mmCIF file of all heavy atoms in Angstrom:
data_model
loop_
_atom_site.group_PDB
_atom_site.id
_atom_site.type_symbol
_atom_site.label_atom_id
_atom_site.label_comp_id
_atom_site.label_asym_id
_atom_site.label_seq_id
_atom_site.Cartn_x
_atom_site.Cartn_y
_atom_site.Cartn_z
ATOM 1 N N ILE A 1 95.185 -117.358 132.113
ATOM 2 C CA ILE A 1 94.293 -117.046 130.987
ATOM 3 C C ILE A 1 93.662 -115.671 131.182
ATOM 4 O O ILE A 1 93.573 -114.865 130.255
ATOM 5 C CB ILE A 1 93.220 -118.139 130.840
ATOM 6 C CG1 ILE A 1 93.876 -119.462 130.410
ATOM 7 C CG2 ILE A 1 92.151 -117.710 129.835
ATOM 8 C CD1 ILE A 1 92.920 -120.635 130.377
ATOM 9 N N ASN A 2 93.212 -115.394 132.410
ATOM 10 C CA ASN A 2 92.607 -114.088 132.692
ATOM 11 C C ASN A 2 93.611 -112.955 132.480
ATOM 12 O O ASN A 2 93.281 -111.890 131.948
ATOM 13 C CB ASN A 2 92.067 -114.052 134.119
ATOM 14 C CG ASN A 2 90.809 -114.899 134.285
ATOM 15 O OD1 ASN A 2 90.100 -115.134 133.307
ATOM 16 N ND2 ASN A 2 90.552 -115.351 135.496
ATOM 17 N N GLN A 3 94.840 -113.201 132.908
ATOM 18 C CA GLN A 3 95.871 -112.172 132.743
ATOM 19 C C GLN A 3 96.163 -111.908 131.268
ATOM 20 O O GLN A 3 96.321 -110.764 130.844
ATOM 21 C CB GLN A 3 97.146 -112.622 133.467
ATOM 22 C CG GLN A 3 98.257 -111.583 133.423
ATOM 23 C CD GLN A 3 99.500 -112.058 134.163
ATOM 24 O OE1 GLN A 3 99.523 -113.148 134.720
ATOM 25 N NE2 GLN A 3 100.527 -111.223 134.169
ATOM 26 N N PHE A 4 96.206 -112.988 130.497
ATOM 27 C CA PHE A 4 96.475 -112.842 129.058
ATOM 28 C C PHE A 4 95.333 -112.115 128.355
ATOM 29 O O PHE A 4 95.546 -111.256 127.496
ATOM 30 C CB PHE A 4 96.679 -114.231 128.433
ATOM 31 C CG PHE A 4 96.963 -114.172 126.949
ATOM 32 C CD1 PHE A 4 98.237 -113.872 126.498
ATOM 33 C CD2 PHE A 4 95.946 -114.418 126.025
ATOM 34 C CE1 PHE A 4 98.497 -113.823 125.138
ATOM 35 C CE2 PHE A 4 96.197 -114.361 124.679
ATOM 36 C CZ PHE A 4 97.481 -114.068 124.214
ATOM 37 N N ALA A 5 94.097 -112.453 128.782
ATOM 38 C CA ALA A 5 92.927 -111.838 128.146
ATOM 39 C C ALA A 5 92.849 -110.353 128.423
ATOM 40 O O ALA A 5 92.304 -109.580 127.629
ATOM 41 C CB ALA A 5 91.658 -112.540 128.615
ATOM 42 N N HIS A 6 93.389 -109.921 129.569
ATOM 43 C CA HIS A 6 93.328 -108.511 129.945
ATOM 44 C C HIS A 6 94.647 -107.778 129.707
ATOM 45 O O HIS A 6 94.848 -106.681 130.220
ATOM 46 C CB HIS A 6 92.924 -108.386 131.416
ATOM 47 C CG HIS A 6 91.520 -108.828 131.682
ATOM 48 N ND1 HIS A 6 91.199 -110.155 131.937
ATOM 49 C CD2 HIS A 6 90.340 -108.137 131.723
ATOM 50 C CE1 HIS A 6 89.894 -110.270 132.134
ATOM 51 N NE2 HIS A 6 89.346 -109.046 132.001
ATOM 52 N N ASP A 7 95.513 -108.384 128.937
ATOM 53 C CA ASP A 7 96.793 -107.750 128.624
ATOM 54 C C ASP A 7 96.598 -106.721 127.516
ATOM 55 O O ASP A 7 96.696 -107.008 126.342
ATOM 56 C CB ASP A 7 97.804 -108.821 128.192
ATOM 57 C CG ASP A 7 99.194 -108.221 127.994
ATOM 58 O OD1 ASP A 7 99.331 -106.998 128.163
ATOM 59 O OD2 ASP A 7 100.116 -108.982 127.652
ATOM 60 N N GLU A 8 96.284 -105.471 127.909
ATOM 61 C CA GLU A 8 95.977 -104.422 126.948
ATOM 62 C C GLU A 8 97.208 -103.984 126.161
ATOM 63 O O GLU A 8 97.090 -103.486 125.037
ATOM 64 C CB GLU A 8 95.341 -103.232 127.662
ATOM 65 C CG GLU A 8 94.001 -103.568 128.301
ATOM 66 C CD GLU A 8 93.371 -102.356 128.966
ATOM 67 O OE1 GLU A 8 94.004 -101.288 128.949
ATOM 68 O OE2 GLU A 8 92.246 -102.491 129.484
ATOM 69 N N ASP A 9 98.372 -104.100 126.742
ATOM 70 C CA ASP A 9 99.593 -103.728 126.025
ATOM 71 C C ASP A 9 99.760 -104.582 124.773
ATOM 72 O O ASP A 9 100.111 -104.081 123.699
ATOM 73 C CB ASP A 9 100.814 -103.886 126.931
ATOM 74 C CG ASP A 9 100.799 -102.866 128.072
ATOM 75 O OD1 ASP A 9 100.131 -101.831 127.905
ATOM 76 O OD2 ASP A 9 101.458 -103.123 129.089
ATOM 77 N N GLY A 10 99.490 -105.858 124.906
ATOM 78 C CA GLY A 10 99.612 -106.755 123.758
ATOM 79 C C GLY A 10 98.590 -106.436 122.682
ATOM 80 O O GLY A 10 98.894 -106.422 121.493
ATOM 81 N N LEU A 11 97.358 -106.158 123.101
ATOM 82 C CA LEU A 11 96.304 -105.827 122.133
ATOM 83 C C LEU A 11 96.620 -104.527 121.402
ATOM 84 O O LEU A 11 96.403 -104.394 120.201
ATOM 85 C CB LEU A 11 94.959 -105.728 122.839
ATOM 86 C CG LEU A 11 94.382 -107.038 123.377
ATOM 87 C CD1 LEU A 11 93.102 -106.775 124.154
ATOM 88 C CD2 LEU A 11 94.118 -108.007 122.233
ATOM 89 N N ALA A 12 97.112 -103.557 122.116
ATOM 90 C CA ALA A 12 97.447 -102.276 121.495
ATOM 91 C C ALA A 12 98.542 -102.440 120.454
ATOM 92 O O ALA A 12 98.500 -101.834 119.380
ATOM 93 C CB ALA A 12 97.880 -101.281 122.568
ATOM 94 N N ALA A 13 99.522 -103.271 120.770
ATOM 95 C CA ALA A 13 100.614 -103.499 119.817
ATOM 96 C C ALA A 13 100.103 -104.201 118.565
ATOM 97 O O ALA A 13 100.462 -103.841 117.431
ATOM 98 C CB ALA A 13 101.710 -104.320 120.489
ATOM 99 N N GLU A 14 99.251 -105.188 118.777
ATOM 100 C CA GLU A 14 98.684 -105.902 117.631
ATOM 101 C C GLU A 14 97.818 -104.968 116.786
ATOM 102 O O GLU A 14 97.857 -105.002 115.557
ATOM 103 C CB GLU A 14 97.865 -107.097 118.123
ATOM 104 C CG GLU A 14 98.713 -108.196 118.736
ATOM 105 C CD GLU A 14 97.855 -109.285 119.347
ATOM 106 O OE1 GLU A 14 96.614 -109.170 119.280
ATOM 107 O OE2 GLU A 14 98.423 -110.244 119.887
ATOM 108 N N PHE A 15 97.043 -104.133 117.475
ATOM 109 C CA PHE A 15 96.181 -103.193 116.768
ATOM 110 C C PHE A 15 97.023 -102.218 115.930
ATOM 111 O O PHE A 15 96.697 -101.906 114.777
ATOM 112 C CB PHE A 15 95.320 -102.425 117.767
ATOM 113 C CG PHE A 15 94.334 -101.486 117.132
ATOM 114 C CD1 PHE A 15 93.182 -101.962 116.532
ATOM 115 C CD2 PHE A 15 94.570 -100.117 117.136
ATOM 116 C CE1 PHE A 15 92.274 -101.093 115.949
ATOM 117 C CE2 PHE A 15 93.672 -99.243 116.555
ATOM 118 C CZ PHE A 15 92.521 -99.732 115.954
ATOM 119 N N ALA A 16 98.105 -101.743 116.496
ATOM 120 C CA ALA A 16 98.993 -100.815 115.789
ATOM 121 C C ALA A 16 99.621 -101.457 114.568
ATOM 122 O O ALA A 16 99.889 -100.784 113.567
ATOM 123 C CB ALA A 16 100.075 -100.308 116.739
ATOM 124 N N LEU A 17 99.843 -102.763 114.625
ATOM 125 C CA LEU A 17 100.419 -103.463 113.483
ATOM 126 C C LEU A 17 99.381 -103.709 112.379
ATOM 127 O O LEU A 17 99.698 -103.650 111.190
ATOM 128 C CB LEU A 17 101.016 -104.800 113.927
ATOM 129 C CG LEU A 17 102.287 -104.736 114.787
ATOM 130 C CD1 LEU A 17 102.645 -106.116 115.293
ATOM 131 C CD2 LEU A 17 103.428 -104.146 113.967
ATOM 132 N N VAL A 18 98.145 -103.973 112.779
ATOM 133 C CA VAL A 18 97.109 -104.359 111.811
ATOM 134 C C VAL A 18 96.484 -103.155 111.109
ATOM 135 O O VAL A 18 96.178 -103.206 109.918
ATOM 136 C CB VAL A 18 96.019 -105.195 112.516
ATOM 137 C CG1 VAL A 18 94.825 -105.402 111.590
ATOM 138 C CG2 VAL A 18 96.593 -106.532 112.962
ATOM 139 N N VAL A 19 96.298 -102.053 111.856
ATOM 140 C CA VAL A 19 95.580 -100.899 111.300
ATOM 141 C C VAL A 19 96.201 -100.366 110.013
ATOM 142 O O VAL A 19 95.484 -100.121 109.031
ATOM 143 C CB VAL A 19 95.452 -99.779 112.354
ATOM 144 C CG1 VAL A 19 95.032 -98.458 111.711
ATOM 145 C CG2 VAL A 19 94.423 -100.174 113.399
ATOM 146 N N PRO A 20 97.519 -100.154 109.910
ATOM 147 C CA PRO A 20 98.078 -99.652 108.646
ATOM 148 C C PRO A 20 97.789 -100.576 107.462
ATOM 149 O O PRO A 20 97.458 -100.115 106.357
ATOM 150 C CB PRO A 20 99.581 -99.566 108.923
ATOM 151 C CG PRO A 20 99.683 -99.425 110.395
ATOM 152 C CD PRO A 20 98.559 -100.244 110.947
ATOM 153 N N LEU A 21 97.888 -101.876 107.708
ATOM 154 C CA LEU A 21 97.597 -102.835 106.635
ATOM 155 C C LEU A 21 96.126 -102.772 106.232
ATOM 156 O O LEU A 21 95.785 -102.847 105.048
ATOM 157 C CB LEU A 21 97.970 -104.249 107.087
ATOM 158 C CG LEU A 21 99.448 -104.495 107.403
ATOM 159 C CD1 LEU A 21 99.642 -105.908 107.921
ATOM 160 C CD2 LEU A 21 100.290 -104.258 106.162
ATOM 161 N N LEU A 22 95.255 -102.620 107.240
ATOM 162 C CA LEU A 22 93.825 -102.528 106.954
ATOM 163 C C LEU A 22 93.511 -101.268 106.151
ATOM 164 O O LEU A 22 92.737 -101.308 105.197
ATOM 165 C CB LEU A 22 93.041 -102.540 108.267
ATOM 166 C CG LEU A 22 91.511 -102.451 108.137
ATOM 167 C CD1 LEU A 22 90.981 -103.653 107.378
ATOM 168 C CD2 LEU A 22 90.869 -102.364 109.525
ATOM 169 N N LEU A 23 94.135 -100.141 106.527
ATOM 170 C CA LEU A 23 93.909 -98.889 105.812
ATOM 171 C C LEU A 23 94.391 -98.985 104.363
ATOM 172 O O LEU A 23 93.725 -98.515 103.444
ATOM 173 C CB LEU A 23 94.624 -97.741 106.534
ATOM 174 C CG LEU A 23 93.980 -97.253 107.831
ATOM 175 C CD1 LEU A 23 94.853 -96.195 108.477
ATOM 176 C CD2 LEU A 23 92.580 -96.712 107.563
ATOM 177 N N ILE A 24 95.546 -99.577 104.167
ATOM 178 C CA ILE A 24 96.071 -99.748 102.807
ATOM 179 C C ILE A 24 95.127 -100.610 101.975
ATOM 180 O O ILE A 24 94.848 -100.317 100.805
ATOM 181 C CB ILE A 24 97.484 -100.363 102.848
ATOM 182 C CG1 ILE A 24 98.473 -99.355 103.428
ATOM 183 C CG2 ILE A 24 97.921 -100.794 101.458
ATOM 184 C CD1 ILE A 24 99.859 -99.917 103.654
ATOM 185 N N PHE A 25 94.618 -101.676 102.591
ATOM 186 C CA PHE A 25 93.689 -102.563 101.880
ATOM 187 C C PHE A 25 92.408 -101.820 101.504
ATOM 188 O O PHE A 25 91.942 -101.896 100.362
ATOM 189 C CB PHE A 25 93.358 -103.772 102.742
ATOM 190 C CG PHE A 25 92.347 -104.695 102.136
ATOM 191 C CD1 PHE A 25 92.690 -105.569 101.122
ATOM 192 C CD2 PHE A 25 91.015 -104.666 102.572
ATOM 193 C CE1 PHE A 25 91.745 -106.413 100.552
ATOM 194 C CE2 PHE A 25 90.066 -105.505 102.016
ATOM 195 C CZ PHE A 25 90.438 -106.375 100.999
ATOM 196 N N VAL A 26 91.834 -101.078 102.458
ATOM 197 C CA VAL A 26 90.576 -100.367 102.208
ATOM 198 C C VAL A 26 90.774 -99.269 101.158
ATOM 199 O O VAL A 26 90.010 -99.157 100.190
ATOM 200 C CB VAL A 26 90.021 -99.769 103.513
ATOM 201 C CG1 VAL A 26 88.832 -98.851 103.217
ATOM 202 C CG2 VAL A 26 89.603 -100.878 104.468
ATOM 203 N N LEU A 27 91.814 -98.452 101.346
ATOM 204 C CA LEU A 27 92.074 -97.383 100.385
ATOM 205 C C LEU A 27 92.447 -97.930 99.015
ATOM 206 O O LEU A 27 92.080 -97.372 97.980
ATOM 207 C CB LEU A 27 93.191 -96.472 100.913
ATOM 208 C CG LEU A 27 92.848 -95.635 102.145
ATOM 209 C CD1 LEU A 27 94.065 -94.849 102.602
ATOM 210 C CD2 LEU A 27 91.682 -94.701 101.850
ATOM 211 N N GLY A 28 93.173 -99.043 99.018
ATOM 212 C CA GLY A 28 93.523 -99.679 97.741
ATOM 213 C C GLY A 28 92.298 -100.172 96.999
ATOM 214 O O GLY A 28 92.202 -100.034 95.776
ATOM 215 N N THR A 29 91.349 -100.744 97.748
ATOM 216 C CA THR A 29 90.101 -101.203 97.137
ATOM 217 C C THR A 29 89.323 -100.029 96.539
ATOM 218 O O THR A 29 88.807 -100.095 95.415
ATOM 219 C CB THR A 29 89.232 -101.931 98.178
ATOM 220 O OG1 THR A 29 89.959 -103.043 98.708
ATOM 221 C CG2 THR A 29 87.938 -102.430 97.547
ATOM 222 N N ILE A 30 89.253 -98.930 97.299
ATOM 223 C CA ILE A 30 88.586 -97.720 96.789
ATOM 224 C C ILE A 30 89.302 -97.201 95.547
ATOM 225 O O ILE A 30 88.675 -96.806 94.556
ATOM 226 C CB ILE A 30 88.545 -96.636 97.880
ATOM 227 C CG1 ILE A 30 87.658 -97.088 99.042
ATOM 228 C CG2 ILE A 30 88.059 -95.305 97.325
ATOM 229 C CD1 ILE A 30 87.695 -96.181 100.248
ATOM 230 N N ASP A 31 90.630 -97.224 95.583
ATOM 231 C CA ASP A 31 91.437 -96.715 94.469
ATOM 232 C C ASP A 31 91.195 -97.520 93.197
ATOM 233 O O ASP A 31 91.056 -96.953 92.105
ATOM 234 C CB ASP A 31 92.914 -96.778 94.843
ATOM 235 C CG ASP A 31 93.704 -95.637 94.245
ATOM 236 O OD1 ASP A 31 93.106 -94.792 93.548
ATOM 237 O OD2 ASP A 31 94.921 -95.570 94.477
ATOM 238 N N VAL A 32 91.153 -98.821 93.322
ATOM 239 C CA VAL A 32 90.909 -99.679 92.153
ATOM 240 C C VAL A 32 89.525 -99.414 91.578
ATOM 241 O O VAL A 32 89.341 -99.312 90.363
ATOM 242 C CB VAL A 32 91.069 -101.170 92.534
ATOM 243 C CG1 VAL A 32 90.587 -102.064 91.403
ATOM 244 C CG2 VAL A 32 92.523 -101.478 92.850
ATOM 245 N N GLY A 33 88.536 -99.281 92.471
ATOM 246 C CA GLY A 33 87.180 -98.983 92.004
ATOM 247 C C GLY A 33 87.094 -97.632 91.314
ATOM 248 O O GLY A 33 86.444 -97.483 90.280
ATOM 249 N N LEU A 34 87.779 -96.634 91.882
ATOM 250 C CA LEU A 34 87.782 -95.299 91.289
ATOM 251 C C LEU A 34 88.492 -95.307 89.940
ATOM 252 O O LEU A 34 88.063 -94.642 88.985
ATOM 253 C CB LEU A 34 88.455 -94.306 92.239
ATOM 254 C CG LEU A 34 88.477 -92.839 91.800
ATOM 255 C CD1 LEU A 34 87.055 -92.332 91.581
ATOM 256 C CD2 LEU A 34 89.189 -91.981 92.831
ATOM 257 N N TYR A 35 89.575 -96.062 89.844
ATOM 258 C CA TYR A 35 90.306 -96.183 88.574
ATOM 259 C C TYR A 35 89.411 -96.788 87.496
ATOM 260 O O TYR A 35 89.342 -96.287 86.369
ATOM 261 C CB TYR A 35 91.552 -97.038 88.773
ATOM 262 C CG TYR A 35 92.396 -97.206 87.529
ATOM 263 C CD1 TYR A 35 93.392 -96.279 87.221
ATOM 264 C CD2 TYR A 35 92.210 -98.287 86.674
ATOM 265 C CE1 TYR A 35 94.175 -96.423 86.087
ATOM 266 C CE2 TYR A 35 92.982 -98.439 85.538
ATOM 267 C CZ TYR A 35 93.961 -97.506 85.254
ATOM 268 O OH TYR A 35 94.725 -97.660 84.119
ATOM 269 N N ALA A 36 88.694 -97.856 87.854
ATOM 270 C CA ALA A 36 87.788 -98.495 86.889
ATOM 271 C C ALA A 36 86.676 -97.534 86.465
ATOM 272 O O ALA A 36 86.277 -97.498 85.300
ATOM 273 C CB ALA A 36 87.192 -99.764 87.498
ATOM 274 N N TYR A 37 86.196 -96.737 87.410
ATOM 275 C CA TYR A 37 85.150 -95.748 87.103
ATOM 276 C C TYR A 37 85.685 -94.678 86.153
ATOM 277 O O TYR A 37 85.000 -94.283 85.204
ATOM 278 C CB TYR A 37 84.663 -95.113 88.400
ATOM 279 C CG TYR A 37 83.586 -94.073 88.210
ATOM 280 C CD1 TYR A 37 82.339 -94.424 87.707
ATOM 281 C CD2 TYR A 37 83.814 -92.744 88.551
ATOM 282 C CE1 TYR A 37 81.343 -93.464 87.533
ATOM 283 C CE2 TYR A 37 82.821 -91.785 88.389
ATOM 284 C CZ TYR A 37 81.590 -92.153 87.872
ATOM 285 O OH TYR A 37 80.615 -91.205 87.701
ATOM 286 N N ARG A 38 86.925 -94.209 86.372
ATOM 287 C CA ARG A 38 87.533 -93.217 85.487
ATOM 288 C C ARG A 38 87.730 -93.789 84.075
ATOM 289 O O ARG A 38 87.541 -93.085 83.082
ATOM 290 C CB ARG A 38 88.872 -92.754 86.047
ATOM 291 C CG ARG A 38 88.761 -91.879 87.265
ATOM 292 C CD ARG A 38 88.257 -90.483 86.907
ATOM 293 N NE ARG A 38 88.166 -89.651 88.092
ATOM 294 C CZ ARG A 38 87.075 -89.484 88.802
ATOM 295 N NH1 ARG A 38 85.957 -90.102 88.467
ATOM 296 N NH2 ARG A 38 87.064 -88.702 89.870
ATOM 297 N N VAL A 39 88.131 -95.038 84.003
ATOM 298 C CA VAL A 39 88.288 -95.683 82.690
ATOM 299 C C VAL A 39 86.952 -95.716 81.960
ATOM 300 O O VAL A 39 86.862 -95.408 80.767
ATOM 301 C CB VAL A 39 88.867 -97.106 82.844
ATOM 302 C CG1 VAL A 39 88.759 -97.887 81.536
ATOM 303 C CG2 VAL A 39 90.320 -97.045 83.285
ATOM 304 N N ASN A 40 85.891 -96.070 82.677
ATOM 305 C CA ASN A 40 84.560 -96.109 82.077
ATOM 306 C C ASN A 40 84.127 -94.721 81.614
ATOM 307 O O ASN A 40 83.561 -94.562 80.526
ATOM 308 C CB ASN A 40 83.557 -96.673 83.078
ATOM 309 C CG ASN A 40 82.161 -96.800 82.501
ATOM 310 O OD1 ASN A 40 81.323 -95.919 82.689
ATOM 311 N ND2 ASN A 40 81.888 -97.892 81.823
ATOM 312 N N GLN A 41 84.386 -93.697 82.434
ATOM 313 C CA GLN A 41 84.053 -92.325 82.054
ATOM 314 C C GLN A 41 84.801 -91.900 80.794
ATOM 315 O O GLN A 41 84.226 -91.285 79.890
ATOM 316 C CB GLN A 41 84.411 -91.360 83.189
ATOM 317 C CG GLN A 41 83.405 -91.288 84.319
ATOM 318 C CD GLN A 41 83.809 -90.229 85.331
ATOM 319 O OE1 GLN A 41 84.899 -90.301 85.910
ATOM 320 N NE2 GLN A 41 82.951 -89.253 85.542
ATOM 321 N N ALA A 42 86.089 -92.231 80.740
ATOM 322 C CA ALA A 42 86.901 -91.841 79.589
ATOM 323 C C ALA A 42 86.424 -92.538 78.323
ATOM 324 O O ALA A 42 86.370 -91.926 77.245
ATOM 325 C CB ALA A 42 88.373 -92.159 79.858
ATOM 326 N N GLU A 43 86.079 -93.812 78.436
ATOM 327 C CA GLU A 43 85.559 -94.536 77.276
ATOM 328 C C GLU A 43 84.263 -93.913 76.780
ATOM 329 O O GLU A 43 84.057 -93.717 75.578
ATOM 330 C CB GLU A 43 85.341 -96.009 77.633
ATOM 331 C CG GLU A 43 86.625 -96.797 77.817
ATOM 332 C CD GLU A 43 86.363 -98.234 78.221
ATOM 333 O OE1 GLU A 43 85.238 -98.526 78.698
ATOM 334 O OE2 GLU A 43 87.276 -99.071 78.073
ATOM 335 N N LYS A 44 83.364 -93.588 77.704
ATOM 336 C CA LYS A 44 82.081 -93.004 77.335
ATOM 337 C C LYS A 44 82.272 -91.607 76.737
ATOM 338 O O LYS A 44 81.599 -91.236 75.770
ATOM 339 C CB LYS A 44 81.163 -92.947 78.548
ATOM 340 C CG LYS A 44 79.739 -92.521 78.225
ATOM 341 C CD LYS A 44 79.080 -93.417 77.189
ATOM 342 C CE LYS A 44 78.899 -94.822 77.692
ATOM 343 N NZ LYS A 44 78.202 -95.678 76.710
ATOM 344 N N ALA A 45 83.184 -90.824 77.303
ATOM 345 C CA ALA A 45 83.451 -89.489 76.769
ATOM 346 C C ALA A 45 84.006 -89.571 75.351
ATOM 347 O O ALA A 45 83.647 -88.762 74.481
ATOM 348 C CB ALA A 45 84.435 -88.753 77.676
ATOM 349 N N THR A 46 84.862 -90.557 75.103
ATOM 350 C CA THR A 46 85.433 -90.733 73.767
ATOM 351 C C THR A 46 84.355 -91.128 72.766
ATOM 352 O O THR A 46 84.296 -90.597 71.647
ATOM 353 C CB THR A 46 86.538 -91.792 73.804
ATOM 354 O OG1 THR A 46 87.492 -91.446 74.811
ATOM 355 C CG2 THR A 46 87.261 -91.881 72.475
ATOM 356 N N GLN A 47 83.496 -92.052 73.154
ATOM 357 C CA GLN A 47 82.399 -92.471 72.272
ATOM 358 C C GLN A 47 81.456 -91.307 71.969
ATOM 359 O O GLN A 47 81.050 -91.099 70.822
ATOM 360 C CB GLN A 47 81.628 -93.618 72.918
ATOM 361 C CG GLN A 47 82.426 -94.904 73.055
ATOM 362 C CD GLN A 47 81.723 -95.936 73.915
ATOM 363 O OE1 GLN A 47 80.585 -95.742 74.349
ATOM 364 N NE2 GLN A 47 82.398 -97.043 74.187
ATOM 365 N N THR A 48 81.119 -90.542 73.000
ATOM 366 C CA THR A 48 80.227 -89.399 72.813
ATOM 367 C C THR A 48 80.876 -88.344 71.926
ATOM 368 O O THR A 48 80.217 -87.733 71.075
ATOM 369 C CB THR A 48 79.851 -88.794 74.177
ATOM 370 O OG1 THR A 48 79.205 -89.793 74.961
ATOM 371 C CG2 THR A 48 78.917 -87.605 74.023
#
């Protein structure tokens, strides 16, 4: 158990696999929010 817990090679590999997915999720969330904000701006500009 101690050896498994301190197996840094395994953690690094897992981290390398998860980080790209996490970045895509975070940037995708920002992108969707920014898209909705642009839609709102365009609607308001058209009304004005």
Side-chain angles (χ1 to χ4, degrees):
I1 293 174
N2 288 336
Q3 183 179 359
F4 180 80
H6 293 86
D7 186 358
E8 296 182 358
D9 292 337
L11 291 175
E14 291 174 0
F15 184 75
L17 290 173
V18 170
V19 166
L21 297 176
L22 180 62
L23 286 176
I24 291 174
F25 176 77
V26 171
L27 292 177
T29 301
I30 294 172
D31 214 0
V32 170
L34 183 58
Y35 181 88
Y37 180 65
R38 288 287 180 265
V39 168
N40 183 264
Q41 280 184 301
E43 289 178 341
K44 188 57 65 177
T46 306
Q47 294 170 5
T48 301

